[in-house]
Amino acid sequence: MYRKIKGTEDIYGEEIKYWYFIENTAREVSRIYGYEEIRTPIFERTELFVRSVGEETDIVQKEMYTFEDKGGRSLTLRPEGTAPTIRAFVENSMIASGLPRRLFYIGPMFRYERPQSGRQRQFHQFGIELLGSSSPLGDAEAIMLADNFLRKLGLVDYKIVINSIGCEKCRPKYKEALKEYYSNILDKVCDDCKRRYETNILRLLDCKVDSSYAENAPKMKDYLCTECKSHYEETKKLLETLEVAYEENFNLVRGLDYYNGIVFEIHHSRLGAQSAIGGGGRYDKLIEEIGGPKTPSLGFAMGIERLIIALKKENVPVEEWRNNEVFIAHLGHEAKIEAIKIAEELRKNEISVVFNTMERGLSAQLKHAARLKCKLCIIVGENELERDVVILRNLETGDQVEIERTFIVGTAKEWLQD
Ligand SMILES: [Zn+2]
Ligand SMILES: [Zn+2]
């Protein structure tokens, strides 16, 4: 027997309704905010991710699914959705049709991590990118969209956390201050942080192991330049005006290199150690970095697997996938042909019908109908057909009537609505 690869999941049965619910809600909220869908390939040139996500990040260092194809090219299964979206934006000259461009995506991403609850090696994200806005209005729009999406899902136990990590003008001074602070305690921090001290000093702030040292570290807010400070303050003011609840966390830095200015994360209070259900921020230099024109931009992504855990923890009722409404059982050869005609008539009326395609007796057919959780069963028998009637049975209540052939669709519709 073949088994699925570690860190992957088969999604089926009762789980599917959660996926439909989240995907449909994501599309609907995106539509309301004027975002259009983009579907990029699952794999790209490795170089794209190294360049954009950053050489020194955990993703590029140890988490990418990289392989060589038969043509000798180094390809990588996308570990995140922003770099491919930007690549498509530049390659297809989308800038020509005017800025800003609002895009969203839904799909699988791949990272080689230790699998745990809500963290698979193939995982799925819904994300948006607002390309070409340098205004705090853009930051506020993205955060509002995220908030509205979560509300529409019915979630309440989450909080939005924001920070500013400054720009290329003000961040270097801050990094110096951090280096000085950590230089005295470098022997106490974890091995990852010892390495990051040289390569990515900001990441020491969100290390789970060394959080006690981060608490007393210098804060970016005290180093922001005038532009960064006013951008940050104006965004906060907009959120307050629009009554979007948020908290500030001055140690929030995000794991990817391309961010600048405002970054944010959304945490769910009942998800334990892996509490982030989404995050994003501004990446004003990224498009230039991968060869496009200067286009200040921002975006966020949410993890669908974690959203599903959150929905379950909060007991949010999710609409059942409405299938298998009516089962059609039949007895005898003549009845078989009449039964399949009735099935098609009901289907033309948008009713989900399961037809008996096995050579089975009546009791086996009814047993199957019950297993499929059909609400109604129509029994087409040869004796009844001679009188131009069929039997309609409610499988939930056991009620049963004989109805004339011509009234089947109308009566079935009525009974389904009860
Ligand atoms: Zn700045
Ligand atoms: Zn550490």
Side-chain angles (χ1 to χ4, degrees), residues 34-50:
Y35 287 70
E36 49 181 320
E37 183 162 0
I38 181 164
R39 302 186 187 197
T40 64
I42 297 289
F43 52 86
E44 301 270 354
R45 283 183 189 277
T46 302
E47 178 65 19
L48 172 70
F49 299 111
V50 175

Side-chain angles (χ1 to χ4, degrees), residues 189-190 193 196 207 209-210:
V189 299
C190 73
C193 282
R196 291 178 189 137
C207 177
V209 186
D210 300 313

